[in-house]
Amino acid sequence: MKQIPDNKPRIIEALIHVIGWGIVFGFPFLMMSRSGFSITWMDYVRHGSVVPLSFLVVFYVNYFILIPCYLFEGHIRQYLLFNVLLIVCIAAGAHLWQEYMFQAGHTFGKGGRHQGPPKWIFFTRDLFSMVLTVGLSVAIKMSGRWIQMDAARREAEKSRTEAELKNLRSQLNPHFLLNTLNNIYALIAFNSDKAQAAVQELSRLLRHVLYDNQQNFVTLDKEMDFIRSYIELMRIRLADNVSVNTQFDVRPDSRTEIAPLIFISLIENAFKHGISPTEPSFIRIRFSESPGKVCCEITNSYHPKSQTDKSGSGIGLEQVRKRLELTYPGRYTWQQGVSKDGKEYKSILQLSV
């Protein structure tokens, strides 16, 4: 769908320009009126508006031509030279016009003679004011450019992050599928009925992986349903010496949003390293939800795989860490490690949502 451009910032910018120049043009008229001068609109247009008009010309010649064409392109010398010529020409033209108006008798006082300080003081004042006008134009244009560049940088960073997350999710899907298929393959050898049930359960899980995993966030209740189904699928192949206890302290209709499949690698790791074919084993999984927090706590007996066991590549936990840094930067804590006696492994992941 073609995006409709947002013209609101441009309208606000134009309104600020109109108000700003309205103040600049109205200030001399207001000051002269309050000082007791008898001034008509025609006198103001002929004489009093010349200096503000010269400021406007200097400002917008810089704003639309000199700054983007020379200053932003790195042509500093040309930019300074053109500004010197511009300021001198505009200032000279303004003062020639004012001199002509004085000689023609269009003054604000009585008579047509110039009274007050020498003319060069006013000329110097206007030159300095035009230099300040150039500086103001540069400051406004540079700040606008900085805002645009910052917005573009943030958009590029967002696109890069989304691309990395998409790449991680695309890696996670086959990794998850491979581990599950390995479990079903093991079932086929000794219990075909359980293997068929596992295939049916797998189809339900894949529906979640293929559709919900394509979103940046899913509701917590959906993710908990997926995790329950996955744990039940893992139970099918477990021996009697393995105890699996689960606790879900999460509201059944929780609408808290969570990154999809962010916990699944932790659970896979528990089933991979927490089960022994010969020794009693256990896995305890607990999920809890509190205002602004979601916590996953997994404890399992520790039976590390031997070096000759190639059933897993260890990519899962590394993916979890990368996804956490991209999706929850500074908003998560992850404590994990083996107990001092080497018999128990614990992983506690808490997210601020």
Side-chain angles (χ1 to χ4, degrees):
M1 180 182 294
K2 185 177 180 180
Q3 293 184 345
I4 299 176
D6 186 8
N7 292 323
K8 187 176 179 180
R10 292 183 176 274
I11 295 175
I12 294 176
E13 180 183 1
L15 185 61
I16 292 174
H17 282 250
V18 171
I19 294 174
W21 286 112
I23 294 174
V24 171
F25 276 87
F27 185 76
F29 183 83
L30 178 63
M31 292 301 296
M32 291 178 184
S33 298
R34 293 186 64 179
S35 299
F37 285 97
S38 177
I39 179 174
T40 66
W41 279 106
M42 186 58 65
D43 289 332
Y44 173 74
V45 170
R46 290 174 176 174
H47 187 83
S49 63
V50 174
V51 173
L53 185 62
S54 64
F55 292 162
L56 184 144
V57 172
V58 170
F59 182 91
Y60 284 111
V61 168
N62 271 271
Y63 194 84
F64 289 115
I65 301 175
L66 297 183
I67 294 176
C69 294
Y70 294 96
L71 184 61
F72 285 172
E73 296 298 326
H75 306 309
I76 308 297
R77 291 182 179 178
Q78 293 91 324
Y79 174 74
L80 294 176
L81 176 61
F82 284 133
N83 261 299
V84 170
L85 294 175
L86 175 67
I87 291 173
V88 171
C89 291
I90 294 295
H95 280 267
L96 286 175
W97 173 261
Q98 289 177 327
E99 185 67 22
Y100 171 76
M101 286 293 104
F102 275 117
Q103 292 178 359
H106 299 290
T107 62
F108 300 116
K110 295 179 180 180
R113 293 177 301 173
H114 172 74
Q115 298 178 355
K119 297 179 182 179
W120 67 266
I121 294 180
F122 295 101
F123 186 78
T124 305
R125 178 204 63 186
D126 291 345
L127 283 177
F128 181 72
S129 299
M130 289 182 190
V131 171
L132 294 181
T133 302
V134 172
L136 178 63
S137 180
V138 171
I140 295 175
K141 198 70 173 179
M142 289 289 286
S143 63
R145 188 191 192 199
W146 181 86
I147 292 173
Q148 292 178 351
M149 292 177 63
D150 184 65
R153 180 190 59 79
R154 284 184 293 174
E155 186 65 27
E157 183 69 17
K158 180 182 177 182
S159 300
R160 184 186 67 82
T161 301
E162 291 177 351
E164 289 186 17
L165 283 172
K166 186 176 180 180
N167 181 55
L168 286 172
R169 287 198 296 264
S170 67
Q171 294 177 24
L172 182 61
N173 288 348
H175 175 259
F176 160 79
L177 182 61
L178 176 63
N179 286 350
T180 307
L181 289 176
N182 284 337
N183 292 334
I184 295 176
Y185 176 77
L187 284 174
I188 293 174
F190 61 88
N191 193 324
S192 59
D193 292 336
K194 282 189 176 182
Q196 291 179 357
V199 171
Q200 292 179 347
E201 194 70 30
L202 176 61
S203 67
R204 294 179 61 247
L205 296 178
L206 287 180
R207 188 174 297 109
H208 178 87
V209 172
L210 292 175
Y211 296 103
D212 293 336
N213 188 38
Q214 301 308 311
Q215 306 174 28
N216 290 330
F217 294 95
V218 297
T219 56
L220 189 58
D221 59 343
K222 275 189 177 183
E223 192 68 15
M224 293 300 102
D225 288 341
F226 167 77
I227 289 175
R228 288 188 186 96
S229 298
Y230 178 79
I231 292 173
E232 292 305 314
L233 179 59
M234 294 297 101
R235 285 182 192 268
I236 295 176
R237 60 165 292 187
L238 298 181
D240 295 335
N241 67 335
V242 181
S243 170
V244 178
N245 296 314
T246 60
Q247 181 179 351
F248 293 86
D249 296 328
V250 176
R251 291 179 290 110
D253 59 344
S254 175
R255 311 315 293 174
T256 300
E257 292 190 335
I258 200 81
L261 303 183
I262 197 70
F263 302 116
I264 195 63
S265 293
L266 306 183
I267 299 174
E268 285 181 335
N269 192 64
F271 279 98
K272 183 167 64 175
H273 297 295
I275 297 175
S276 171
T278 57
E279 301 177 21
S281 308
F282 70 90
I283 298 175
R284 294 193 294 268
I285 302 173
R286 179 175 180 266
F287 284 92
S288 61
E289 178 188 16
S290 59
K293 301 285 184 182
V294 175
C295 184
C296 170
E297 182 176 343
I298 302 176
T299 307
N300 55 266
S301 51
Y302 187 61
H303 304 287
K305 301 295 182 180
S306 63
Q307 294 182 352
T308 58
D309 191 338
K310 303 299 183 181
S311 59
S313 61
I315 192 177
L317 294 184
E318 183 61 27
Q319 284 183 329
V320 172
R321 191 176 301 280
K322 289 181 179 180
R323 289 190 68 194
L324 288 171
E325 288 296 330
L326 291 171
T327 310
Y328 298 98
R331 296 189 291 124
Y332 78 93
T333 58
W334 188 12
Q335 303 173 5
Q336 55 178 321
V338 182
S339 61
K340 292 182 179 180
D341 58 9
K343 295 182 178 180
E344 185 177 284
Y345 180 88
K346 178 174 286 190
S347 174
I348 303 175
L349 175 59
Q350 181 170 282
L351 305 177
S352 298
V353 294

